[in-house]
């Protein structure tokens, strides 16, 4: 009889959950708990000068560390955060943590920049600039050290507004990078919509630069476009010395990728920057 009851209950439960009527500990509840407990943390991938290999800055990347030490990829939880209106709390929490962990580093060296990822929809949301600057100030991060990365993977819904917002950010001392450049579904419209300082060429094209002429020519074209718009061109996802040789040939001055370093927790980033300072710079 007990087995019968259990079978009945699991049948009822299965029926309800298939219809979305009960949600046993959902991913969203887990994310809220992780945010509250500080389990979503910033890692930092250093950015290097391709001319002399010194560190020019770093990109803050979200990491969800589970209590058992395993981690969930941002490719999985960023879309969830976007859908569930957790994208602002997430980046604000990361900025506060970054302020505690690497604020000193930025204050000690005005030439270092820290970038972080903002979605196009987030950039255009009402009151975003005010919310962001308030958080940046609360985090104790110097504005002139910060760069907002806006991906080209998602369309910019309102070009006029984007231009206005990016102009306002510039007035406030913040810089903008166009991220994943070359992947845009709207062609090159991000160049129109954003007043940007940096153009980060997507890994897809960097992967191809040593393999096929098409990628090489596309990167060449992106470099030329970037320069004509007065932007500094950055290569992302560099994995080999051969790619570095090609990218230098193309006149790209900054890059990030596993060939230099993976994203690191703050203490390892600080160590890496201190070690680099002690070493004489290696000419490219
Ligand atoms: P992204 O902004 O283009 O960041 C670069 C991604 O490429 C990072 O993956 C980085 O770890 C990876 N990467 C860097 N160099 C190499 C390389 O040489 N080889 C390979 N295979 N990969 C490399 P990650 O950290 O998994 O982040 C993935 C994406 O998630 C980011 O792409 C960004 O779009 C998004 N993301 C991460 N953190 C945040 C965040 O705080 N807010 C928002 N809105 N998006 C975020
Ligand atoms: Mg990025
Ligand atoms: Mg990118
Ligand atoms: Mg990319």
């Amino acid at each position: 009889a007990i087995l019968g009851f259990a079978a009945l209950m699991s049948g009822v439960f299965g029926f309800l959950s298939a219809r979305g009527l009960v949600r046993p500990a959902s991913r969203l509840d887990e994310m809220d708990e992780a945010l509250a407990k500080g389990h979503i943390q910033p890692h930092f991938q250093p950015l290097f000068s391709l001319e002399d290999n010194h560190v020019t800055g770093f990109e803050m990347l979200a990491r969800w560390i589970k209590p058992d030490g395993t981690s969930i990829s941002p490719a999985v939880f960023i879309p969830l955060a976007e859908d569930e209106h957790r994208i602002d709390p997430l980046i604000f929490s990361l900025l506060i943590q970054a302020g505690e962990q690497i604020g000193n580093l930025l204050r000690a060296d005005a030439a270092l920049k820290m970038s972080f990822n903002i979605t196009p929809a987030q950039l255009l949301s009402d009151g975003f600039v005010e919310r962001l600057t308030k958080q940046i100030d609360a985090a104790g991060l110097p504005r002139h050290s910060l760069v907002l990365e806006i991906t080209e993977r998602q369309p910019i819904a309102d070009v006029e507004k984007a231009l206005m917002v990016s102009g306002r950010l510039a007035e406030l001392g913040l810089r903008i990078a166009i991220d994943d450049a070359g992947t845009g579904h709207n062609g090159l419209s991000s160049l129109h919509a954003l007043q940007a300082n940096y153009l980060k060429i997507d890994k897809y094209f960097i992967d191809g630069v040593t393999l096929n002429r098409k990628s090489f020519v596309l990167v060449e074209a992106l470099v030329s476009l970037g320069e004509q718009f007065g932007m500094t061109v950055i290569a992302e996802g560099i994995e080999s010395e051969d790619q570095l040789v090609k990218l230098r040939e193309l006149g790209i001055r900054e890059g990030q990728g596993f060939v230099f370093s993976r994203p690191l927790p703050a203490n390892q980033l600080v160590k890496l920057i201190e070690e680099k300072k002690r070493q004489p710079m290696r000419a490219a």
Side-chain angles (χ1 to χ4, degrees):
I2 289 177
L3 278 178
F5 179 73
L8 175 69
M9 285 315 289
S10 82
V12 168
F13 184 76
F15 173 80
L16 290 174
S17 56
R19 284 163 181 262
L21 297 175
V22 287
R23 254 187 333 168
S26 71
R27 225 346 128 65
L28 177 59
D29 295 335
E30 277 177 47
M31 183 157 67
D32 284 340
E33 193 188 338
L35 274 170
K37 290 188 171 166
H39 292 168
I40 300 184
Q41 299 171 1
H43 276 205
F44 306 91
Q45 185 176 34
L47 189 68
F48 290 77
S49 156
L50 301 193
E51 285 159 8
D52 62 13
N53 285 338
H54 81 278
V55 176
T56 60
F58 39 89
E59 176 175 5
M60 179 173 82
L61 292 157
R63 293 289 178 266
W64 179 342
I65 317 287
K66 297 276 235 170
D68 67 5
T70 59
S71 58
I72 305 176
S73 163
V76 174
F77 66 83
I78 294 295
L80 177 69
E82 282 186 82
D83 290 348
E84 302 289 350
H85 309 287
R86 300 300 192 276
I87 201 78
D88 272 6
L90 191 147
I91 200 71
F92 295 161
S93 159
L94 295 181
L95 286 169
I96 296 291
Q97 295 178 69
E100 289 161 4
Q101 296 172 6
I102 51 79
N104 283 338
L105 201 61
L106 293 177
R107 282 187 293 271
D109 184 353
L112 275 181
K113 56 183 173 286
M114 180 179 94
S115 67
F116 54 96
N117 297 280
I118 294 297
T119 71
Q122 190 175 18
L123 182 78
L124 295 180
S125 64
D126 286 334
F128 177 70
V129 172
E130 288 67 32
R131 284 198 298 285
L132 177 71
T133 45
K134 203 175 127 197
Q135 286 299 315
I136 287 171
D137 295 347
L141 290 164
R143 286 181 190 173
H144 63 259
S145 306
L146 302 182
V147 180
L148 280 69
E149 296 197 8
I150 315 292
T151 184
E152 224 183 51
R153 289 182 192 282
Q154 298 165 348
I156 292 169
D158 184 342
V159 170
E160 291 294 308
K161 186 163 183 190
L163 263 180
M164 201 195 71
V165 172
S166 55
R168 202 150 138 50
L169 289 167
E171 281 166 20
L172 292 166
L174 294 153
R175 282 170 287 172
I176 290 190
I178 295 174
D179 198 2
D180 311 318
T183 67
H185 294 291
N186 297 3
L188 299 166
S189 63
S190 65
L191 293 175
H192 253 306
L194 294 170
Q195 181 179 317
N197 312 76
Y198 300 95
L199 189 69
K200 295 189 79 172
I201 302 180
D202 192 66
K203 179 178 186 299
Y204 177 81
F205 302 101
I206 306 305
D207 283 345
V209 86
T210 50
L211 303 176
N212 61 74
R213 171 124 190 102
K214 270 190 188 167
S215 289
F216 187 87
V217 171
L218 280 167
V219 172
E220 204 169 32
L222 285 168
V223 170
S224 157
L225 265 176
E227 282 171 355
Q228 289 184 63
F229 277 84
M231 295 187 274
T232 299
V233 178
I234 299 175
E236 50 175 13
I238 312 169
E239 292 184 342
S240 74
E241 289 290 337
D242 288 350
Q243 288 171 344
L244 275 177
V245 171
K246 288 276 184 203
L247 297 171
R248 287 187 187 117
E249 235 174 77
L250 285 163
I252 297 181
R253 305 237 292 275
E254 285 182 61
Q256 75 190 90
F258 294 175
V259 72
F260 293 115
S261 169
R262 290 183 176 255
L264 304 168
N267 59 341
Q268 287 182 39
L269 175 83
V270 170
K271 210 187 289 171
L272 182 143
I273 290 176
E274 277 168 4
E275 275 165 16
K276 282 265 162 195
K277 265 192 207 141
R278 276 196 296 275
Q279 286 166 10
M281 282 178 193
R282 183 157 60 90

